[in-house]
Amino acid sequence: MIGSVGVIFGETGSHTFKFMVTDPALRRTDYVKVWHSTDGWVLCQVMSMTRSEGADNKDRVIASVTVIGVRDQQGLLRAPMTPFRPGDRVYKAEEELIVETLGLSDGGAYLGLLDGTDIPVTVDRNKLIQKHCSILAMTGSGKSYTAAVIIEEMMEKGVPLLIIDPHGEYATLKEPNDDADMGALAEKFGVEPQGYKNVTIYTPGNKKLCGYADRPLRLNGVNLKPKEIIEYVPSELNNTEIGLIYEAVNALRNDGIDYTIKDVLREIGSSHSAMKWGVYNKLEPLLEAEFLSDRPTPLTELFARGRTSIVDMKGIGPDVQQAIVAKLLDNLFEARKAGQVPPGMVVVEEAHNFCPEKGFAKTVSGDVLRAIASEGRKFGLGLLIISQRPAKVDKNVLSQCNTQIIMRVTNPNDIRAITKSLEGISSELEEEIKRLPPGVALFVSPDIPRAVMVQVRVRKSRHGGASKEISDEADKEDKPPAGGSLFKRLFGKA
Ligand SMILES: Nc1ncnc2c1ncn2[C@@H]1O[C@H](COP(=O)(O)OP(=O)(O)OP(=O)(O)O)[C@@H](O)[C@H]1O
Ligand SMILES: [Mg+2]
């Protein structure tokens, strides 16, 4: 056995204790073990360390430790019933004990390595879908990158994916990673560069907006209900204007033939109301809205086994984006409930824009996202929610995300929003979140007894999140300086 790293002293509790550190290599967050007379080796983790001058003028380093526990015969994690003894020796925990105790060996989606070790962290794909997942962090800390890693892992098992991509960042899933550091990173994480073929890029607009699109995304524009029309109108409507839309649609319905927005406008134009031109002008943009069509994209094409569909919204205004997401996800959720499409996952980038917290904004897509968040698990429709402003995301949606991937966050409001939606996050973890280096995530899951730090694996496909010319206001906040090799930043070598 390797030598001990220290000796327990003072008062010991069932969940915490302190020890005098004898090994200068010991670090905060290291996993250690202590022998317990009834339970055997018990896994513990160093949560904080202090250094002071002892009576003999020598440095004293003291580590505060949390007891994680032992797996019993049934595989359940238990903490020892009696405290450790002062004088007991503390040892470095070996890989097997860490993996077994933390339950990291479940197979499934490979996220990366347990920080500071070579231990792979994997999560069960079904659980990820059923329990929803969020990726929260300030801008530039690796959210989209980590999302792409999860997407790659899902694609490899043919899970149907629909990606709401407001900035056009995910098209590069088709291309293999050509990062200059790829050689070293691929070896470290044990992955090979790869582009994915079964990825289709849809644009709700046209080839001018999104030149690399494979197909148009079209929603039904025939026989729209007044409520649907109102949701698609980019500007606010007053009650009189809403009334005029209802009147026009009712008149068309009485005729009994199919109608389009053009017919609704004609009907409004022939009204005798003095207010008609106001609503006419507000509805007119819908005539040019290419996403409304008499031949909508079938959901069975968008959401199918072995396929990934990216809805690339580049160049589309925020209100229209929200209306498209509202309708598309509404249709998808209904189709899933009716069993017309298989179980799968919906990825929502910039979620604060699509399901904002009350008081920030109101959007038409909020309702359906709340519905999927609360009921989606019953039907096997999972959400992957991504946001750089957790405080601005609907709390009902966030609290339904049982798997949380948290990367660096410094804004106090955002930290509060994160810790609120997580039970049992300690103040040490709050401190940890503020200091997470790029590419390292705090992974919180109901299937792992404690939050663990994961060094997210390198992508197999090329990362497309670098273009920032289309970023929104929030992107300008808290931006860490870019530049330098990431490999260097992560591993300290070039
Ligand atoms: N695990 C990782 N391995 C290698 N590089 C990474 C990793 N995570 C992030 N990066 C690098 O960090 C940069 C920022 O990552 P990313 O685009 O995912 O940030 P983000 O949090 O989505 O930012 P934004 O809020 O601006 O969308 C990327 O250019 C990427 O190369
Ligand atoms: Mg991003």
Side-chain angles (χ1 to χ4, degrees):
M1 164 142 355
I2 332 157
S4 80
V5 293
V7 182
I8 298 180
F9 71 93
E11 199 174 57
T12 63
S14 336
H15 298 292
T16 55
F17 62 83
K18 287 187 174 164
F19 73 91
M20 190 80 74
V21 178
T22 52
D23 181 350
L26 192 83
R27 297 274 175 277
R28 195 167 52 88
T29 75
D30 273 355
Y31 291 97
V32 292
K33 62 178 182 180
V34 184
W35 181 260
H36 188 274
S37 51
T38 33
D39 294 300
W41 288 115
V42 178
L43 186 69
C44 308
Q45 188 176 18
V46 176
M47 298 313 286
S48 63
M49 289 170 79
T50 59
R51 188 188 292 271
S52 60
E53 207 177 333
D56 50 1
N57 286 346
K58 272 203 196 138
D59 257 8
R60 283 199 322 168
V61 180
I62 292 167
S64 298
V65 174
T66 293
V67 178
I68 298 178
V70 273
R71 293 272 166 190
D72 64 13
Q73 298 293 329
Q74 283 81 44
L76 295 171
L77 189 75
R78 289 190 299 107
M81 301 302 280
T82 53
F84 295 109
R85 278 196 200 84
D88 280 352
R89 285 185 180 279
V90 181
Y91 298 87
K92 256 255 139 101
E94 74 282 3
E95 181 167 330
E96 290 89 276
L97 186 72
I98 300 172
V99 169
E100 192 197 326
T101 314
L102 293 179
L104 299 176
S105 56
D106 278 355
Y110 170 38
L111 294 188
L113 301 175
L114 191 64
D115 196 39
T117 75
D118 296 326
I119 303 172
V121 175
T122 60
V123 285
D124 187 308
R125 290 181 182 80
N126 285 327
K127 286 182 183 157
L128 215 51
I129 294 171
Q130 271 160 15
K131 295 180 178 173
H132 306 302
C133 178
S134 62
I135 302 180
L136 307 172
M138 60 197 272
T139 185
S141 41
K143 296 180 299 294
S144 304
Y145 199 102
T146 306
V149 166
I150 294 179
I151 290 167
E152 289 176 359
E153 292 291 323
M154 291 292 177
M155 285 198 288
E156 275 166 28
K157 284 285 180 282
V159 175
L161 291 163
L162 180 72
I163 304 173
I164 307 297
D165 182 6
H167 298 315
E169 296 179 282
Y170 287 89
T172 53
L173 283 166
K174 288 182 172 189
E175 303 160 31
N177 193 346
D178 59 356
D179 192 308
D181 300 326
M182 189 58 193
L185 289 169
E187 193 184 336
K188 176 177 167 84
F189 291 100
V191 297
E192 289 294 323
Q194 185 194 337
Y196 293 83
K197 287 199 192 69
N198 292 333
V199 174
T200 311
I201 301 158
Y202 289 86
T203 173
N206 52 42
K207 275 281 191 189
K208 259 188 233 132
L209 279 182
C210 185
Y212 49 84
D214 300 307
R215 280 161 183 258
L217 177 82
R218 296 296 176 252
L219 297 173
N220 174 42
V222 180
N223 299 339
L224 292 179
K225 295 180 191 122
K227 187 175 165 282
E228 293 174 299
I229 297 174
I230 293 160
E231 284 185 358
Y232 286 137
V233 174
S235 35
E236 287 286 326
L237 295 162
N238 63 36
N239 284 341
T240 318
E241 291 170 333
I242 290 173
L244 280 167
I245 295 174
Y246 270 90
E247 266 174 37
V249 170
N250 281 339
L252 290 165
R253 277 182 176 163
N254 286 338
D255 290 347
I257 42 170
D258 287 348
Y259 61 91
T260 63
I261 290 288
K262 208 168 167 185
D263 301 313
V264 176
L265 276 169
R266 192 170 26 78
E267 199 61 41
I268 289 172
S270 67
S271 147
H272 297 295
S273 163
M275 301 285 282
K276 69 178 181 187
W277 297 118
V279 66
Y280 192 98
N281 281 335
K282 289 180 186 175
L283 252 66
E284 224 177 1
L286 291 187
L287 274 183
E288 274 126 61
E290 287 166 285
F291 68 88
L292 291 177
S293 159
D294 55 355
R295 282 200 294 156
T297 313
L299 281 168
T300 46
E301 172 194 312
L302 274 172
F303 208 68
R305 270 211 71 79
R307 280 200 218 151
T308 294
S309 298
I310 299 174
V311 179
D312 192 312
M313 307 269 218
K314 215 175 62 171
I316 309 238
D319 290 346
V320 180
Q321 287 197 12
Q322 287 150 14
I324 291 171
V325 167
K327 195 68 204 164
L328 187 61
L329 294 190
D330 215 31
N331 292 347
L332 180 68
F333 196 27
E334 290 310 313
R336 178 61 211 124
K337 283 183 195 167
Q340 290 153 356
V341 294
M345 191 172 223
V346 177
V347 180
V348 186
E349 264 279 359
E350 311 280 357
H352 48 278
N353 290 335
F354 296 104
C355 48
E357 172 65 351
K358 283 163 232 75
F360 283 105
K362 195 165 160 41
T363 57
V364 291
S365 47
D367 285 343
V368 64
L369 282 165
R370 270 188 293 276
I372 298 176
S374 63
E375 296 173 69
R377 73 188 63 190
K378 277 191 272 177
F379 304 101
L381 193 59
L383 290 174
L384 177 58
I385 292 288
I386 304 158
S387 177
Q388 73 259 31
R389 294 310 312 273
K392 292 188 179 175
V393 182
D394 190 309
K395 292 202 174 39
N396 296 308
V397 174
L398 274 193
S399 64
Q400 294 293 332
C401 296
N402 284 314
T403 304
Q404 294 202 305
I405 296 173
I406 302 154
M407 306 184 80
R408 185 154 175 261
V409 179
T410 49
N411 179 311
N413 290 330
D414 288 329
I415 294 199
R416 219 166 300 135
I418 290 172
T419 49
K420 249 191 214 161
S421 63
L422 275 181
E423 298 147 40
I425 200 162
S426 59
S427 52
E428 285 111 359
L429 282 182
E430 274 185 42
E431 282 305 309
E432 214 66 69
I433 293 170
K434 289 186 201 161
R435 278 175 225 162
L436 287 168
V440 177
L442 189 70
F443 181 74
V444 187
S445 150
D447 303 312
I448 294 184
R450 294 181 58 77
V452 293
M453 293 226 270
V454 180
Q455 188 166 42
V456 178
R457 74 159 169 80
V458 69
R459 279 183 67 163
K460 298 180 187 177
S461 56
R462 190 161 81 78
H463 187 53
S467 70
K468 281 290 165 245
E469 68 271 23
I470 29 178
S471 45
D472 61 22
E473 274 307 304
D475 278 336
K476 293 190 188 118
E477 299 171 19
D478 304 336
K479 188 130 196 151
S485 144
L486 185 99
F487 189 70
K488 194 169 168 183
R489 274 189 279 147
L490 291 179
F491 307 120
K493 355 175 212 192

